[in-house]
Amino acid sequence: MRVDPYGNQAQGGRRGFGGFRWWILLLFGLYAAWSWFGNAKTDPYTGETAHYGTSADEEVQLGEQAFVQVLNDASSQRALLASSAPQSQAVSQIAQRLIDKVPQVTEALARQNNQQAPTDYRNFKWSVAVINSQEANAFCLPGGKMAVYTGLFPVTQNDDALAVVMGHEIAHALLRHGSQRMAQQKLVQLGQVAAGAAVGGMDPQQQQMIMGALGAGAQYGLVLPYGRNHETQADKVGLMLAAAACYDPRQAVPLWQRMSQLGGGQRPAEFASTHPDPANRIQVLQQLMPTALKFYEANCANKPLAAN
């Protein structure tokens, strides 16, 4: 008879599903429920329940550290554009107009959701860099550190569309999506550890089968949908920011139509991606457009939009 350290016994060295230690998963489930739901908060920007893995101040510090690395890498490759370069100047002007509207949009969205407006953004140390790269990308790290890659310009084609992209990236920082992803990753990692311990008394082939199934379930049932929801949230908040800053929010639709053609239009099915399908994304943006236009009209009375 073999006696394992967890107190399970197996005859003749044979293992089976009886070696599955359910009590470990039960303890994990209880802890996960306490940790996840006990620390739930309502996101003022969306009205949805959110979970955070670090404090807002810690996020700012992490963002600053990551941005220094980005700038160092770009400088070493001679890809960092000077702040006096025309492209840098244009991007900085767009960024500043968006940043100036953060307090107003934050207050308005929080009021819509019957929440107190957050003030975390007051500790942001905003800055933006332009990096010479063929990559069509931009980002805003926690704490307001932004970068725009020159490969994005042929896709955006105009300041309005570029403002939509930059507003979207700023929204990720305002919504504290980095901290939310950390909370999710901690939960998934702890679940993997618990599952590994739970199947420790089973046949190796069965262990591999169960761990593979659990990993796929976490990926497709939690991680990817979580990422798609964050993208949709950032689309909404970013669109309102762009509109309040007097950029034409209607440019979001042709922008994402162009985005959908990158890479020859080939992409995984939505359920296997962290980003919404472009057609679904455009549909959501169209639904948000009346609200975005109200933000525009409330802030840009002296700059009426041309008829579409």
Side-chain angles (χ1 to χ4, degrees):
M1 178 181 291
R2 178 182 60 83
V3 180
D4 72 22
Y6 292 93
N8 293 308
Q9 297 179 339
Q11 293 285 349
R14 294 187 64 186
R15 301 175 185 177
F17 284 100
F20 193 92
R21 302 179 179 108
W22 295 102
W23 63 272
I24 295 178
L25 287 188
L26 177 61
L27 289 177
F28 163 70
L30 292 173
Y31 174 79
W34 172 80
S35 176
W36 188 254
F37 297 106
N39 295 318
K41 297 180 181 179
T42 300
D43 185 339
Y45 289 97
T46 65
E48 299 179 22
T49 300
H51 311 266
Y52 304 98
T54 186
S55 71
D57 289 340
E58 289 171 332
E59 279 186 278
V60 172
Q61 294 175 5
L62 291 171
E64 288 181 354
Q65 293 169 7
F67 196 60
V68 168
Q69 185 62 51
V70 169
L71 295 184
N72 287 341
D73 290 346
S75 296
S76 67
Q77 298 170 18
R78 298 183 178 180
L80 185 64
L81 267 64
S83 58
S84 59
Q87 289 175 316
S88 296
Q89 291 287 315
V91 168
S92 293
Q93 290 173 8
I94 294 172
Q96 192 56 57
R97 282 172 60 176
L98 294 168
I99 292 165
D100 288 345
K101 291 300 178 179
V102 165
Q104 180 183 336
V105 172
T106 297
E107 183 70 35
L109 293 178
R111 187 166 55 250
Q112 287 179 11
N113 295 310
N114 298 315
Q115 298 293 315
Q116 183 176 353
T119 57
D120 300 326
Y121 64 83
R122 294 178 183 174
N123 295 324
F124 283 16
K125 299 176 182 178
W126 300 100
S127 65
V128 61
V130 179
I131 297 173
N132 188 21
S133 169
Q134 294 182 352
E135 186 177 356
N137 197 17
F139 63 79
C140 181
L141 294 168
K145 302 296 187 182
M146 290 176 275
V148 175
Y149 294 83
T150 55
L152 185 63
F153 299 148
V155 183
T156 55
Q157 297 184 2
N158 57 66
D159 285 355
D160 296 301
L162 182 55
V164 168
V165 174
M166 293 176 66
H168 171 96
E169 299 304 329
I170 289 172
H172 278 306
L174 295 175
L175 289 156
R176 300 185 59 198
H177 281 164
S179 181
Q180 291 185 43
R181 284 192 294 272
M182 288 178 66
Q184 179 211 55
Q185 289 167 2
K186 289 177 183 178
L187 186 69
V188 171
Q189 289 168 359
L190 183 58
Q192 290 172 337
V193 171
V199 302
M202 297 176 63
D203 179 88
Q205 188 174 2
Q206 292 175 339
Q207 290 183 31
Q208 185 177 10
M209 179 180 66
I210 291 178
M211 291 300 292
L214 291 174
Q219 181 74 359
Y220 291 103
L222 178 63
V223 176
L224 296 178
Y226 206 63
R228 291 194 296 272
N229 187 47
H230 281 179
E231 289 299 310
T232 300
Q233 291 177 351
D235 280 346
K236 176 182 178 180
V237 176
L239 193 67
M240 304 312 152
L241 267 178
C246 299
Y247 292 103
D248 187 350
R250 298 173 301 179
Q251 287 297 318
V253 172
L255 164 68
W256 284 108
Q257 289 171 338
R258 293 191 294 271
M259 285 282 196
S260 69
Q261 298 306 311
L262 293 178
Q266 299 297 316
R267 59 185 42 81
E270 182 174 82
F271 76 88
S273 174
T274 57
H275 287 61
D277 179 82
N280 293 337
R281 190 170 211 157
I282 289 170
Q283 184 178 16
V284 171
L285 288 167
Q286 289 171 330
Q287 292 170 352
L288 292 170
M289 205 58 63
T291 304
L293 290 172
K294 288 180 181 179
F295 272 89
Y296 187 97
E297 293 165 1
N299 290 274
C300 317
N302 61 343
K303 191 181 177 183
L305 289 171
N308 233 354

